[in-house]
Amino acid sequence: MDLSLIAFFLGFGMLAALATGIWVAVALFAVALAAIMALVAVPAGAVMATTVWGASNSWDLTALPMFIWMGEILFRSRLSEDMFAGLSPWMRNLPGRLLHVNILGCGIFAAVSGSSAATTATIGRMSLPELKQRGYDERMAIGTLAGSGTLGLLIPPSIILIVYGAATEQSIARLFMAGVLPGAMLCLLFMGYVALWALANRQKMPPREEPVPFVSRLIATRRLFPVIGLIAGVIGSIYAGLASPTEAAAIGVMLSLLLSWASGTLNRKSFADALMGATRTSCMIAFILAGASFLTVAMGYTGIPRELAAWIGSLELSPYALLVALTLFFIVLGCFLDGISVVVLTTSVILPMVEQAGLDLIWFGIYLVLVVEMSQITPPVGFNLFVLQGMTGYNIFRVARMALPFFLLMILAVVLIVAFPDLALWLPQTMLSN
């Protein structure tokens, strides 16, 4: 049978399986099994067992449950309240005022959680009622939260970067460092847009509040010290070459437990809830990764990725044309799948053509995460939209319209890292561990 016809049937089978609502991992295993049993003369059971064990028995993946647990612990602490109290006095003189707290708060929490949904939920739980009470425009309050919540995917320790690193055998430490400057750039783009919007829509801004004395601002800043110390302990130890991502994750869990205990939020129930939440999320991701690894091996047996890469190469697309095509492909795919599923589903097929185009795989990981970030605020399957729908009670499409300007700013961020690749590559090249 022609390989293009085989690819069509397998792709249709995958879409049909996902459309039934079954788990993504089960769909991956089912399609891979069907491909091997129907097309290849090898023992499917033995291949599946070997592949699943190989995908699960990876030291790099040890960091995954630890970082997830760290985020779960902090999600149940008073971290968002401390960040709001520490940031808000400094934001009152900027155009847009406390709307910037959403952006900076999400950026800071992203640096200790690694999860987009957890970032959105934690900061939103504190900031949305405060902004509404003070008379800020609801559309901008929700929009800034939806857009900035996606920073959890990019700013280290990012769960999706760990998944990408494990799937592509790239250094997770270098991927973490590569995400720092693009994450900061995205924060600045969001803050710049908010400032311009506030200057152009003064009538939609609440009356100015009483200025906070400088000494009072310094005193309020003390509430940021614990989280800054946590970020320095995790990211700083990786950058300085003092710890691997797994060791840094263990440091992060220890510091987050200490921070939660010091704030009075650590008890038997919160500890057990955080541990079970991390266990459920880690198992889900590990199951998807095992399924994706099995599908990758099955596709390798069929020869589809090799033929697809050769076909793409025959088109003689420039690297920029390839990136435009991939961006459109990922945006459409992200409308129906979560970010981790997009990465594990496409890696085996996309990487041969990416390598053939001469693109750096560390840089491509950051590009991919930036594009996947957009899927967090695109209906019908946008996790940040689901979180905000639950918090506000608004229709998911209404929340998506509020987030549209930030979706467009993410496209601008993709253009910038394509034009200036050193935004992603400079920090990994300066790591002491090199």
Side-chain angles (χ1 to χ4, degrees):
M1 189 185 296
D2 184 71
L3 278 181
S4 60
L5 197 58
I6 294 172
F8 170 78
F9 280 121
L10 291 177
F12 180 79
M14 175 64 69
L15 291 175
L18 293 172
T20 65
I22 64 173
W23 292 353
V24 172
V26 174
L28 292 170
F29 275 108
V31 171
L33 270 175
I36 288 184
M37 294 176 71
L39 304 170
V40 185
V42 296
V47 172
M48 182 173 72
T50 304
T51 305
V52 169
W53 171 253
S56 306
N57 186 28
S58 170
W59 178 248
D60 288 339
L61 286 178
T62 312
L64 186 67
M66 301 295 282
F67 278 127
I68 294 173
W69 189 19
M70 184 178 79
E72 290 281 346
I73 294 167
L74 295 173
F75 176 70
R76 290 164 175 81
S77 70
R78 289 207 306 265
L79 185 67
S80 60
E81 298 172 31
D82 289 338
M83 286 195 298
F84 194 92
L87 290 171
S88 58
W90 297 97
M91 301 295 108
R92 292 184 182 185
N93 295 327
L94 294 178
R97 303 203 285 278
L98 295 187
L99 290 172
H100 294 294
V101 175
N102 264 356
I103 299 168
L104 288 177
C106 285
I108 293 172
F109 193 82
V112 292
S113 78
S115 166
S116 175
T119 299
T120 305
T122 305
I123 301 302
R125 186 174 56 184
M126 180 63 200
S127 69
L128 285 184
E130 284 283 338
L131 293 175
K132 184 177 181 180
Q133 180 184 341
R134 296 170 192 243
Y136 281 84
D137 183 75
E138 189 178 45
R139 183 184 182 91
M140 280 301 288
I142 294 174
T144 52
L145 186 61
S148 305
T150 63
L151 293 168
L153 294 181
L154 183 60
I155 296 177
S158 163
I159 303 304
I160 202 167
L161 282 178
I162 297 175
V163 171
Y164 174 83
T168 60
E169 299 182 354
Q170 295 299 305
S171 164
I172 292 173
R174 294 188 69 213
L175 284 167
F176 276 5
M177 290 302 105
V180 172
L181 290 182
M185 175 190 69
L186 205 51
C187 275
L188 290 175
L189 286 175
F190 290 166
M191 292 180 71
Y193 169 74
V194 167
L196 292 175
W197 179 90
L199 292 172
N201 297 273
R202 296 178 188 272
Q203 74 282 3
K204 294 185 179 180
M205 293 296 295
R208 283 191 175 273
E209 301 178 32
E210 289 294 322
V212 179
F214 183 74
V215 175
S216 299
R217 280 186 270 173
L218 286 179
I219 293 172
T221 306
R222 291 186 305 178
R223 299 183 69 171
L224 293 175
F225 289 167
V227 68
I228 291 172
L230 182 58
I231 294 170
V234 174
I235 301 178
S237 62
I238 296 174
Y239 181 73
L242 300 175
S244 68
T246 303
E247 293 161 345
I251 293 170
V253 169
M254 181 186 69
L255 292 176
S256 60
L257 284 170
L258 187 62
L259 181 59
S260 182
W261 173 78
S263 66
T265 56
L266 183 63
N267 52 50
R268 184 188 295 270
K269 184 179 185 308
S270 66
F271 181 86
D273 288 347
L275 191 58
M276 287 306 299
T279 302
R280 281 191 292 268
T281 304
S282 302
C283 289
M284 179 268 290
I285 295 173
F287 195 20
I288 290 176
L289 280 173
S293 181
F294 184 36
L295 183 62
T296 300
V297 171
M299 293 300 100
Y301 276 120
T302 64
I304 291 173
R306 184 177 60 253
E307 291 297 322
L308 181 60
W311 176 68
I312 295 290
S314 69
L315 297 178
E316 297 183 352
L317 293 175
S318 69
Y320 294 117
L322 176 62
L323 288 172
V324 169
L326 289 178
T327 301
L328 294 174
F329 170 69
F330 285 128
I331 289 175
V332 172
L333 203 59
C335 289
F336 305 98
L337 294 172
D338 66 278
I340 289 174
S341 300
V342 170
V343 171
V344 297
L345 274 172
T346 58
T347 299
S348 62
V349 178
I350 297 299
L351 279 191
M353 61 184 81
V354 169
E355 291 176 317
Q356 190 170 331
L359 299 174
D360 186 282
L361 291 186
I362 296 291
W363 176 90
F364 184 76
I366 302 305
Y367 154 83
L368 177 57
V369 170
L370 262 176
V371 178
V372 166
E373 275 187 331
M374 301 176 193
S375 69
Q376 300 295 298
I377 52 175
T378 54
V381 184
F383 282 131
N384 284 18
L385 300 183
F386 288 143
V387 171
L388 288 169
Q389 183 186 31
M391 295 173 70
T392 63
Y394 291 146
N395 181 282
I396 191 171
F397 293 98
R398 182 176 178 182
V399 179
R401 285 197 300 272
M402 295 176 181
L404 179 60
F406 299 91
F407 177 86
L408 299 176
L409 287 171
M410 289 180 200
I411 294 178
L412 175 59
V414 170
V415 172
L416 288 173
I417 71 157
V418 170
F420 306 102
D422 278 348
L423 283 169
L425 296 176
W426 181 72
L427 270 182
Q429 291 166 355
T430 61
M431 286 175 64
L432 293 184
S433 59
N434 285 338

